[in-house]
Amino acid sequence: MVAMMEQSFTRERMAVQIKSSVNQQVVDDYARRLDERNAGERIMLICHSPAGTLIVPPSTGRRRLELVQGSEVADLAINAGLVDWTIAHAL
């Protein structure tokens, strides 16, 4: 399920897909499918446990997939003050 998010300050909209683990084939598929959606100004795939080295596919000219993976996910959660929330939801 792809979530539509809106940044509260700028009102920028983005299509976001969160997966626990993905490989390159999944990244390529989501880049294509998310780019085909009409909603959202940005497209983002978030994965905390990537399977191998993942590369963002070339843009199709409309929007480019933003890939957030591995330790970057943890860093963003820490910087956003979500450590307690993450721990509470992991139990």
Side-chain angles (χ1 to χ4, degrees):
M1 179 168 127
V2 174
M4 288 305 304
M5 310 293 287
E6 183 175 272
Q7 211 285 348
S8 60
F9 186 71
T10 64
R11 299 282 193 229
E12 178 184 32
R13 294 182 52 173
M14 63 186 78
V16 178
Q17 175 67 50
I18 301 173
K19 302 294 263 179
S20 58
S21 181
V22 297
N23 59 25
Q24 188 64 50
Q25 182 180 359
V26 172
V27 171
D28 294 343
D29 181 54
Y30 272 104
R32 180 189 53 76
R33 289 181 13 196
L34 290 172
D35 191 47
E36 290 172 354
R37 296 176 60 96
N38 292 327
E41 298 168 3
R42 294 169 60 191
I43 52 176
M44 185 176 292
L45 176 60
I46 301 171
C47 168
H48 65 71
S49 299
T53 301
L54 304 179
I55 300 168
V56 174
S59 174
T60 62
R62 292 177 62 202
R63 295 175 293 178
R64 186 166 192 232
L65 176 73
E66 295 177 42
L67 181 61
V68 181
Q69 58 183 318
S71 62
E72 185 180 4
V73 175
D75 291 342
L76 290 170
I78 290 167
N79 292 336
L82 296 173
V83 173
D84 292 338
W85 182 90
T86 303
I87 293 170
H89 285 81
L91 302 176

